[in-house]
Amino acid sequence: MFHLGIRIQNTMFSSRTFRKQASLPYSLSLQVTVEAVIGGSVLLPCSSVKHDLELKDINVHWRHTNGKIVHDIVQGEDSVAEQDPEYKNRVKTFPEEYQRGNFSLKLNNLQDTDAGEFKCLITPSDEQKTVQMIIKGV
């Protein structure tokens, strides 16, 4: 199951457009919720809206609850040097998609400890995506 929630803070709607209130800052935060089962696999989506960056200039950092390092993409290349042992040999990425701005990953052999929040931070564009994973028993 896949849910997409949009949370908009400090904004008001007018004629189907977003307008900033007074001088308050606004933010658009997307949170995706995915449900999976123990032992299964799940795709954690993450894509950049900025396509004008060189792949060699892009870094992507996937983090789980409490900052555990799930996977890094450094200068357009996969890096598992600092990956938390909990995720070793369980993460699959799609390098052929990086040029299109797609940095999603597949997490295999799901465990109950995988439940929680995953964050995907893309630099230098400072984009952040959040995926909430719910694990259900078999």
Side-chain angles (χ1 to χ4, degrees):
M1 181 176 271
F2 182 80
H3 301 282
L4 174 64
I6 299 178
R7 181 178 45 213
I8 301 173
Q9 301 168 336
N10 297 332
T11 59
M12 56 189 273
F13 298 94
S14 173
S15 302
R16 295 184 178 213
T17 61
F18 299 104
R19 282 192 327 189
K20 191 173 167 183
Q21 288 181 347
S23 61
L24 294 176
Y26 64 92
S27 66
L28 177 63
S29 175
L30 295 178
Q31 178 171 315
V32 175
T33 300
V34 295
E35 292 181 1
V37 295
I38 293 174
S41 299
V42 70
L43 182 71
L44 302 176
C46 179
S47 58
S48 174
V49 295
K50 301 197 179 190
H51 298 285
D52 58 344
L53 297 171
E54 294 279 335
L55 198 51
K56 65 178 177 52
D57 297 329
I58 295 176
N59 295 316
V60 180
H61 306 285
W62 274 99
R63 300 295 181 264
H64 190 214
T65 308
N66 299 323
K68 289 182 182 175
I69 298 173
V70 178
H71 193 80
D72 286 326
I73 301 166
V74 179
Q75 296 179 330
E77 299 288 330
D78 289 311
S79 172
V80 294
E82 297 183 29
Q83 183 180 51
D84 190 291
E86 186 175 330
Y87 302 104
K88 186 175 179 168
N89 300 319
R90 296 178 53 217
V91 174
K92 177 179 177 9
T93 60
F94 308 93
E96 67 280 3
E97 292 290 321
Y98 295 170
Q99 196 65 48
R100 293 181 194 86
N102 181 356
F103 304 103
S104 302
L105 62 81
K106 182 178 179 182
L107 186 58
N108 298 305
N109 191 22
L110 295 172
Q111 305 163 11
D112 58 349
T113 55
D114 291 326
E117 190 173 85
F118 288 82
K119 289 189 183 291
C120 170
L121 176 63
I122 305 170
T123 60
S125 59
D126 290 328
E127 297 172 79
Q128 182 171 302
K129 317 296 180 184
T130 303
V131 181
Q132 184 71 35
M133 188 187 322
I134 299 168
I135 300 289
K136 297 188 174 200
V138 269

